[in-house]
Amino acid sequence: MLDRTPKFLLDKDNPSSGQQPPSPHDEVLLDAYSQAVTSVVDRVGAAVVRVEPQISGRTAGMGSGVFISPDGLLLTNSHVMQGSREATLIGHDGRPVQARVIGDDPDTDLALLRADGDRLPFAALGDSKRLRRGQIAIAIGNPLGFESTVTAGVVSALGRSLRAKSGRLIDDVIQTDAALNPGNSGGPLVATSGEVIGINTAVIMGAQGICFAVASNTASFVVTELIRHGRVRRASIGVAGQTVPLPRRVAYAAGLPFNSGVVIAAVEADSPAAEAHLEPGDVILSLNGAPVGGIDDLVRLLNGDCIGRTMEAVVLRRGEMHAVAVTPVERKTAFARPR
């Protein structure tokens, strides 16, 4: 009589589990993944601290932060600081360090602090434009007060938009499934290279595995502006946009070094874009001759120097390229920055 017993039940080494034992190849892959994560934690973990904003001499809330230079520059979220000008930082060794706010940018939900001390452990900001969906992403922070907590996942999506508490859209946001909880805000999202690719900023309550981080290229821009001016003086053309891929032939015809651009999702009324007759669906390819490969490029190009200056935007509209003259204006914010 033919024996119809499933093969796995005849396995002498695993007679009752109902599963084949993992292959050596699977074990190698799992071990490589573990080594990648633990290596990042070893390199970056000491640079991550708990941030306790001080308002009127008392602690007001809690979040995370990451040192980005050995002389005490630290990035965290604007909403973590809540408008305060000072904070106490608690490192992995439990010792408190005092820090003061250099600048606060609620439009990107980022705040830059400087701590007392030098030769501090730090993590370098990476190039978020090089990220790909599916890439490993590691979040380090202090969720719910549990210090130095590590979660890992992947980059779920790129080029998202997220509304900040200031009411402005934060563009070029990274979506990840690395678990975040209250207290993770302001901590780093790190690649396996050990570079910071984003600053964790938000989680959608009630959803599973939908978390967001401000891209490191946006953070680099904000840090530069805050150090130089104490605030971020930005220009605006009055559009909301998202990074989209471009056909190679279009990128080649436009002389672009990469196959992506920024599609306009919405145009504000009475804005420079509206006056220039830009339309939703237009894809911005370049601005004043500089290629626009993504939202971070557009944010970087629309700096304080171009306010009031007429610029040429090359856009793709219904398969044809058009040159449009647009004059940016200064973006306004009601936030009172610390002095």
Side-chain angles (χ1 to χ4, degrees), residues 5-85:
T5 304
K7 183 179 179 180
F8 64 79
L9 291 182
L10 298 177
D11 188 341
K12 294 181 180 179
D13 296 326
N14 193 17
S16 59
S17 67
Q19 296 180 348
Q20 291 284 355
S23 70
H25 180 66
D26 291 338
E27 292 179 355
V28 169
L29 289 176
L30 288 171
D31 189 56
Y33 177 84
S34 296
Q35 288 182 9
V37 175
T38 55
S39 175
V40 167
V41 175
D42 289 342
R43 283 182 286 170
V44 178
V48 182
V49 299
R50 185 168 79 236
V51 178
E52 299 179 349
Q54 304 296 312
I55 299 178
S56 301
R58 61 179 180 85
T59 299
M62 181 188 64
S64 302
V66 58
F67 285 114
I68 58 170
S69 73
D71 60 348
L73 286 178
L74 177 130
L75 269 174
T76 187
N77 284 151
S78 173
H79 79 260
V80 167
M81 294 308 299
Q82 303 180 59
S84 62
R85 302 185 180 187

Side-chain angles (χ1 to χ4, degrees), residues 37 70 77 82 114 134 144 152 159 169 177 194 213 220 267 269 272 274 278 287 292 310 318 335 337:
V37 175
N77 284 151
Q82 303 180 59
R114 184 180 292 280
L144 304 173
L169 284 177
D177 66 349
S220 295
V267 177
L278 290 174
L287 191 63
V292 176
T310 299
R318 291 184 283 276
F335 183 79
R337 293 172 173 78

